[in-house]
Amino acid sequence: MAAYIPIITLNMGRNETSVTIFTLQGISDQPEMQVIIFFPFLGIYIMTLTWNLGLIILIRTDSHLHSPMYFFLSFLSFIDICYSSSISPRMLSDFFLVEKTISFLACATESFFMAWMGLTECCLLAIMAYDRYVAIYNPLRYSTIMHLPICGKLVAGAYVAGCLGSLVHTIAGFHLHFCGPNIINHFFCDIPQIIALSCSNTFINQIMVFVVALFFGLFSFLFIIMTYVYITVTILKMPSAKGRAKAFNTCASHLIAVTLFFGTALSVYLHPSSANSKPLDKVLSVFYAIIIPVLNPLIYSLRNKEIKAALKRLMKRGKFPQ
């Protein structure tokens, strides 16, 4: 039985215990499986850091990629690095621990940074959809509308909005009283799982979490869908088949990334949680928190001729220094 450290407090003339340490159940509750799956997850984390950092360096060093689309893509890679790093190092160390304990403060900190990066990614994906809309719907004014100062302000706004949303998200989960069970049925400090452990009335807190998920997740997703409806209509009106194919190709990677991220994240946070749904929630969480950050640089690179050309130029400079 997982232990917790109690603090005795006086409340209306009776003693209560307050949980100060949580215990994470982990990805699997079978010890032999923990060691087996350690190496695949370690490889995924290393690839996440390598591929995303490599994409950032490539975009920053190649002048051909100094455009708004790649400016946003470099920040998406940075978010994926931070997002994965807020979970993976501690998760990897937990594979070798029998009791995966985490302090109340560390749990709140992990939850805050995870939510911050996740909500910021929702905003950034919406901004990237708007960028594609302007490029296709109004290409002659694209450079004047999406100039660097505006792009910088949009990215800064995404980070600020994500931080504020995360603050609400974290307060909703940790501004509660915990006096009983302290086992989190997850591999990270997930807010719905935290709220479920509280001894307090959690109705308002659940509403707060739902509203944040609704505003950042569903509204961003609906904005992206609406944007792509306009993009599709505009592309279909193009007289040239080659032009239509090129326009669709520039949007395909972003649309794949949006579908994967929002499809899994919204499935976790916008449906009622139950005992039967928890294993599925854990699988979906692995996908959007661990797998997607390593897939994004591949999704945006494999179909992108400009990135492939930039990589060839970089390799050529390395092989034949001038």
Side-chain angles (χ1 to χ4, degrees):
M1 177 177 165
Y4 63 89
I5 298 177
I7 296 179
I8 307 300
T9 60
L10 187 63
N11 186 14
M12 299 297 291
R14 69 180 187 272
N15 290 335
E16 285 189 350
T17 59
S18 296
V19 172
T20 59
I21 291 180
F22 293 107
T23 299
L24 294 162
Q25 192 175 69
I27 292 178
S28 172
D29 55 0
Q30 300 177 13
E32 62 276 10
M33 285 297 297
Q34 300 274 12
V35 178
I36 293 173
I37 61 179
F38 167 79
F39 293 101
F41 278 96
L42 175 62
I44 290 171
Y45 181 55
I46 292 173
M47 286 188 291
T48 299
L49 297 180
T50 304
W51 290 349
N52 281 288
L53 186 59
L55 188 57
I56 292 171
I57 293 172
L58 184 66
I59 291 171
R60 296 301 186 199
T61 55
D62 194 298
S63 59
H64 296 83
L65 301 180
H66 291 177
S67 66
M69 181 173 72
Y70 297 110
F71 177 80
F72 295 133
L73 181 55
S74 66
F75 278 98
L76 179 64
S77 289
F78 177 73
I79 288 172
D80 283 338
I81 289 173
C82 295
Y83 194 31
S84 182
S85 296
S86 67
I87 308 170
S88 294
R90 187 201 44 75
M91 181 193 70
L92 290 169
S93 66
D94 282 349
F95 280 127
F96 297 99
L97 299 177
V98 176
E99 201 165 278
K100 305 168 181 59
T101 57
I102 183 170
S103 70
F104 186 90
L105 180 60
C107 194
T109 303
E110 178 186 76
S111 181
F112 172 77
F113 279 102
M114 269 197 63
W116 185 8
M117 293 301 108
L119 297 177
T120 302
E121 183 157 346
C122 290
C123 296
L124 190 59
L125 288 171
I127 291 169
M128 292 172 75
Y130 176 72
D131 172 70
R132 291 298 84 207
Y133 165 75
V134 175
I136 293 171
Y137 185 77
N138 204 343
L140 297 179
R141 295 190 58 207
Y142 177 70
S143 58
T144 58
I145 295 174
M146 301 300 293
H147 53 85
L148 187 58
I150 288 295
C151 293
K153 289 177 182 177
L154 288 172
V155 170
Y159 274 93
V160 171
C163 183
L164 294 176
S166 176
L167 195 60
V168 173
H169 204 253
T170 306
I171 289 172
F174 291 89
H175 194 65
L176 290 167
H177 186 76
F178 300 91
C179 61
N182 70 326
I183 299 176
I184 302 171
N185 186 19
H186 221 303
F187 60 93
F188 63 86
C189 291
D190 194 30
I191 289 293
Q193 303 291 338
I194 297 293
I195 291 177
L197 298 177
S198 176
C199 306
S200 309
N201 185 339
T202 62
F203 177 74
I204 298 298
N205 305 76
Q206 289 175 335
I207 292 297
M208 290 168 66
V209 171
F210 181 80
V211 168
V212 170
L214 187 71
F215 182 79
F216 283 89
L218 187 59
F219 287 178
S220 295
F221 184 64
L222 292 177
F223 173 81
I224 293 169
I225 294 300
M226 182 181 67
T227 301
Y228 271 103
V229 169
Y230 281 104
I231 288 174
T232 303
V233 170
T234 304
I235 291 174
L236 292 176
K237 290 180 180 178
M238 292 180 178
S240 168
K242 186 177 180 180
R244 289 196 298 269
K246 183 178 180 182
F248 273 122
N249 191 54
T250 60
C251 298
S253 298
H254 181 253
L255 199 54
I256 293 169
V258 165
T259 303
L260 291 175
F261 181 77
F262 282 99
T264 52
L266 292 179
S267 298
V268 173
Y269 289 102
L270 289 182
H271 77 81
S273 182
S274 65
N276 293 330
S277 69
K278 286 179 180 178
L280 177 60
D281 288 350
K282 198 179 291 188
V283 172
L284 292 173
S285 297
V286 168
F287 198 81
Y288 76 75
I290 306 296
I291 305 299
I292 288 180
V294 75
L295 289 180
N296 275 342
L298 290 178
I299 291 170
Y300 283 100
S301 301
L302 292 178
R303 294 174 52 87
N304 193 301
K305 294 181 180 179
E306 291 181 338
I307 289 181
K308 289 180 180 178
L311 186 59
K312 288 178 181 178
R313 286 191 294 269
L314 182 65
M315 294 174 65
K316 188 175 180 180
R317 286 200 301 267
K319 190 174 181 179
F320 303 105
Q322 296 180 0

